[in-house]
Amino acid sequence: MKNLFLIAAFSFGLAGIAQNTSYWQQHVDYKMDVKMDVKSYQYKGKQELVYTNNSPDTLRKVYYHLFNNAFQPGSEMDARIQSIKDPDGRMVHKIKVGDTEVKESRIKNLKPNEIGFLHVTNFKQDGQIALAKEVGTILEVTLAKPILPNSKTTFSLDFDGQVPVQIRRSGRNNAEGVELSMAQWYPKLAEFDFEGWHADPYIAREFHGVWGNFDVKISIDSNYILGGSGYLQNKNEIGHGYQDSGVTVVHPKKNKTLTWHFIAPMVHDFTWAADKEYIHDVAKGPNNVDIHFLYKNNPKYIQNWKNLQPKTVQLMEVYNKTVGNYPYKQYSVIQGGDGGMEYAMCTLILGQGDWDGLLGVTAHEMAHSWFQHVLASNESKHGWMDEGFTSFLEDYGLNEIAETKVENPFTGAYKGYFWMANSGKELPQSTHADRFDENRVYSITSYSKGELFLTQLMYLIGKENLLKTLKKYYADFKFKHPTPNDVKRSAERVTGANLDWYLMDWSATTNTIDYAIKDVKENADATTVTLERIGRMPMPMDVLVEYADGTSESFYIPLRMMSFEKENPTPAIKRTVLNDWAWAYPTYELNITKPKSSIKKITLDPSGLMADVKPENNSYIAK
Ligand SMILES: [Zn+2]
């Protein structure tokens, strides 16, 4: 029975400040009509956006991203390139000042016809003019009337854009000669979620957007071939390799432009690219998904792009099996001519370079379809949840489709992390992606340390449980904005283990793991091994003992605060589960019922999945 009086009193007193912990998310329905002038690289568009406020808040302001404005001299992005210790090599060029060579921001000297811009006019809310103020890469809108919880409103606006010479990601006429890489090109409503507004300026890092539906019409010179997000609605009118088989498409001579009509359901971004010289191939992926490949007609790399097609199909099969089915009807791998970047239903990647690079970048960017474009965590705040988990799936998937598999395909990530942890430069993973002093430290934190969150979770709960966790995480949080706690809870729900300590230590601190074999002592006919925890971060312990006679056995020391016993990861070797080791005790004694002379070698974590920053003290070898 409950104390009804107390409950009633508390509910009454706290009603005004009650914490709302139930999940909600905003919803957008975009309609855009765009005309691209391929001579001036300028475009004009109209946007109508139906915004659904599912939050418990009344909104009086909204914010849009105007990403193109970053590519202007004096922008925050330009300033950041000039002040960060290790600017991205793609965003600088080298110039001579006296006798010394210095790196100069490529944005700094862009001419007016080379910069990017995106300006909004005629902003209306339900037909009423609202005040819209451009502040760098953000548009701040003071609404004509408040948007109440659980209500809809319609925003309409006109926009004028200029595609910048490509500096990063989006842009025109890049080094590989791709004419239009149209990422982050339209006024994009910023996300408002349970944490509040995420109107981050575009400085360097990645994106967070509102889930919804896009209906986009792009009018462009009829010689251009497009690829991108969404499903082409008028494929038999457009042709260019999109038409149904057997259909011949002839564009009437008088039609100098074509209007491409795309619909993209349940995405949080819309991206496209266009070029006159794209070759367009289509491969059938699993579950009848069309995988489009658009790449320049260049004999140097055509063969690589042909070879890439069956590999991409295989990778999608592995990703489907590992995490969950790709939920859209198409995916496009598009030569965008700069690095690699993931977008909804597509990626823009470098087209040149060697085979391994092309396969690797495709494996990575397509893996982002799961970790970012379906499980859309906030990349600015938790870059490790998309870059790290994507890197995990990339390495796992590439190993699965390789002719010769390796035991641990994640060793590269460990190397990067060990360097960073021992460098003194590490910042907690919870640092905002734009705040890192060095690009290198951001990258290792997000990609490598993020990947290790999962590989080390495999050490904690076992491989089978890790794979179950990924599937549960996907099933429970697809088309949402999962947070670090959500992935941790998925693992807890699958295993029953307590993992809060793991998430905290790993993602919110720079605590490191360092366990050691402190001493191995003869004890009559037995041996006492003293283990020591030197690092701040706790871990359960797998100990492998190899004997001189060629036999071996293993011991497992559970971590008390985890309340969990892992399955034997190597069933071929007999394992003994010992008493748990609680964190506060710096040492632990392990007794082996055999004489010291019979022991050849003792190893802590033979799998190498635990990110012990000083592996040199993890083994004992008999002299
Ligand atoms: Zn990535």
Side-chain angles (χ1 to χ4, degrees):
M1 212 175 98
K2 286 175 186 161
N3 186 327
L4 290 177
F5 173 74
L6 265 183
I7 290 172
F10 270 103
S11 335
F12 183 76
L14 296 174
I17 51 162
Q19 216 176 7
N20 189 336
T21 51
S22 63
Y23 185 85
W24 48 267
Q25 67 186 31
Q26 305 295 69
H27 180 86
V28 282
D29 287 293
Y30 281 93
K31 254 191 187 163
M32 289 193 276
D33 218 320
V34 194
K35 289 184 176 46
M36 170 58 78
D37 179 344
V38 294
K39 292 215 170 66
S40 65
Y41 297 108
Q42 293 187 353
Y43 54 99
K44 283 185 189 305
K46 285 189 181 302
Q47 184 188 86
E48 195 185 274
L49 193 161
V50 180
Y51 185 51
T52 310
N53 179 17
N54 293 319
S55 84
D57 291 82
T58 298
L59 303 178
R60 291 179 173 81
K61 274 179 112 173
V62 297
Y63 301 84
Y64 285 72
H65 297 280
L66 305 173
F67 294 110
N68 268 8
N69 294 345
F71 303 104
Q72 294 172 7
S75 70
E76 275 196 81
M77 184 182 269
D78 183 28
R80 184 65 174 155
I81 297 168
Q82 294 184 39
S83 67
I84 199 165
K85 280 184 203 149
D86 59 340
D88 186 324
R90 295 163 289 200
M91 299 169 88
V92 291
H93 49 206
K94 289 180 182 145
I95 56 158
K96 282 253 177 178
V97 176
D99 279 345
T100 46
E101 205 173 57
V102 296
K103 288 172 184 169
E104 188 183 54
S105 161
R106 285 178 57 217
I107 296 180
K108 194 178 155 196
N109 297 315
L110 287 177
K111 297 184 194 81
N113 65 344
E114 294 172 336
I115 63 168
F117 63 71
L118 186 59
H119 303 308
V120 165
T121 51
N122 198 24
F123 193 103
K124 286 181 182 159
Q125 179 190 9
D126 297 328
Q128 260 178 285
I129 293 203
L131 183 69
K133 186 173 138 206
E134 190 178 308
V135 185
T137 54
I138 295 293
L139 186 77
E140 292 183 10
V141 181
T142 306
L143 295 172
K145 55 178 186 188
I147 314 170
L148 299 177
N150 304 310
S151 70
K152 282 177 203 261
T153 194
T154 302
F155 302 133
S156 61
L157 58 87
D158 298 337
F159 59 93
D160 267 297
Q162 177 167 287
V163 190
V165 164
Q166 190 170 45
I167 304 293
R168 268 300 274 138
R169 299 179 177 135
S170 55
R172 62 177 155 101
N173 304 323
N174 59 51
E176 293 195 345
V178 177
E179 261 198 83
L180 291 165
S181 291
M182 299 295 289
Q184 296 102 34
W185 57 279
Y186 62 94
K188 178 174 175 175
L189 191 72
E191 178 63 302
F192 176 76
D193 63 20
F194 68 99
E195 295 170 326
W197 281 101
H198 299 281
D200 287 321
Y202 187 25
I203 297 175
R205 297 299 168 212
E206 305 190 352
F207 315 101
H208 192 47
V210 192
W211 280 108
N213 304 312
F214 286 71
D215 182 323
V216 181
K217 286 180 179 150
I218 301 162
S219 299
I220 188 169
D221 182 319
S222 58
N223 292 312
Y224 284 72
I225 301 151
L226 271 65
S229 310
Y231 313 137
L232 187 60
Q233 298 300 296
N234 52 343
K235 51 189 182 175
N236 289 337
E237 183 189 319
I238 294 289
H240 285 310
Y242 285 95
Q243 68 272 27
D244 293 322
S245 64
V247 173
T248 313
V249 179
V250 184
H251 302 132
K253 278 244 162 55
K254 61 177 174 53
N255 288 6
K256 293 236 159 46
T257 61
L258 279 175
T259 299
W260 298 60
H261 182 198
F262 293 97
I263 282 182
M266 267 322 257
V267 290
H268 55 80
D269 190 46
F270 188 97
T271 290
W272 56 287
D275 197 277
K276 289 192 290 279
E277 291 169 3
Y278 273 148
I279 294 176
H280 176 200
D281 297 329
V282 190
K284 269 285 173 214
N287 305 321
N288 222 24
V289 171
D290 284 327
I291 309 182
H292 298 268
F293 295 84
L294 294 117
Y295 52 101
K296 299 276 285 190
N297 188 353
N298 184 325
K300 280 189 202 142
Y301 49 81
I302 282 181
Q303 196 51 49
N304 276 351
W305 277 79
K306 297 279 180 205
N307 297 343
L308 182 64
Q309 297 170 24
K311 293 285 174 194
T312 308
V313 171
Q314 283 179 35
L315 282 167
M316 189 178 269
E317 281 163 0
V318 174
Y319 295 170
N320 279 352
K321 261 188 223 143
T322 310
V323 189
N325 280 340
Y326 179 78
Y328 304 110
K329 290 190 282 190
Q330 74 96 4
Y331 184 74
S332 298
V333 183
I334 304 166
Q335 182 180 5
D338 175 63
M341 184 64 196
E342 70 277 11
Y343 300 104
M345 298 187 212
C346 67
T347 176
L348 304 186
I349 62 170
L350 268 179
Q352 302 171 352
D354 60 12
W355 165 247
D356 287 342
L358 184 68
L359 178 62
V361 75
T362 305
H364 180 90
E365 303 309 338
M366 189 167 70
H368 271 302
S369 292
W370 283 260
F371 298 113
Q372 182 49 218
H373 284 285
V374 178
L375 292 155
S377 33
N378 183 335
E379 299 185 73
S380 297
K381 296 182 74 166
H382 318 296
W384 59 279
M385 290 181 73
D386 78 306
E387 292 306 346
F389 295 4
T390 290
S391 299
F392 171 87
L393 192 56
E394 168 198 355
D395 285 341
Y396 182 85
L398 284 172
N399 193 44
E400 288 294 304
I401 67 163
E403 271 159 36
T404 41
K405 288 195 193 23
V406 296
E407 188 63 37
N408 180 353
F410 314 110
T411 50
Y414 283 84
K415 240 185 242 164
Y417 168 69
F418 290 149
W419 171 83
M420 179 175 75
N422 292 314
S423 72
K425 293 181 174 186
E426 188 180 1
L427 290 175
Q429 273 185 321
S430 51
T431 305
H432 188 286
D434 281 326
R435 300 293 176 273
F436 286 84
D437 297 333
E438 294 182 34
N439 279 320
R440 179 161 65 157
V441 177
Y442 158 77
S443 297
I444 296 174
T445 303
S446 299
Y447 291 73
S448 310
K449 196 181 177 187
E451 180 168 356
L452 265 51
F453 179 87
L454 292 182
T455 60
Q456 196 164 240
L457 190 54
M458 184 165 12
Y459 174 72
L460 293 173
I461 62 176
K463 184 179 174 182
E464 215 171 290
N465 278 329
L466 177 84
L467 295 175
K468 278 187 198 160
T469 295
L470 291 178
K471 289 184 183 81
K472 178 149 184 66
Y473 177 49
Y474 183 78
D476 290 350
F477 296 101
K478 60 185 172 188
F479 306 116
K480 291 182 180 165
H481 292 307
T483 64
N485 205 58
D486 294 329
V487 69
K488 182 213 74 171
R489 286 294 294 133
S490 298
E492 289 180 337
R493 285 175 181 134
V494 163
T495 60
N498 294 333
L499 293 163
D500 207 43
W501 61 275
Y502 178 55
L503 177 66
M504 279 298 289
D505 273 85
W506 194 251
S507 71
T509 77
T510 56
N511 292 346
T512 52
I513 300 156
D514 179 16
Y515 279 84
I517 297 175
K518 196 181 184 191
D519 192 30
V520 180
K521 217 185 255 155
E522 182 102 326
N523 197 349
D525 265 355
T527 308
T528 302
V529 182
T530 306
L531 305 180
E532 186 181 17
R533 177 182 61 76
I534 301 167
R536 267 192 215 116
M537 187 164 169
M539 276 282 141
M541 208 46 58
D542 283 336
V543 185
L544 178 69
V545 181
E546 293 165 86
Y547 296 103
D549 65 4
T551 60
S552 52
E553 68 176 316
S554 74
F555 297 91
Y556 172 60
I557 309 168
L559 176 68
R560 186 176 293 176
M561 66 175 83
M562 201 174 152
S563 305
F564 178 74
E565 189 182 312
K566 172 174 70 174
E567 294 252 319
N568 184 358
T570 46
I573 300 171
K574 182 192 146 246
R575 185 184 79 163
T576 307
V577 179
L578 302 173
N579 288 335
D580 63 21
W581 183 354
W583 175 80
Y585 303 99
T587 58
Y588 183 96
E589 285 194 352
L590 186 167
N591 293 305
I592 298 171
T593 55
K594 285 189 181 174
K596 187 178 173 186
S597 58
S598 70
I599 298 170
K600 192 175 77 180
K601 192 178 177 191
I602 305 173
T603 310
L604 300 184
D605 176 30
S607 72
L609 292 173
M610 178 176 79
D612 188 314
V613 295
K614 290 212 168 55
E616 59 273 17
N617 57 18
N618 285 15
S619 55
Y620 157 85
I621 299 170
K623 288 188 193 93

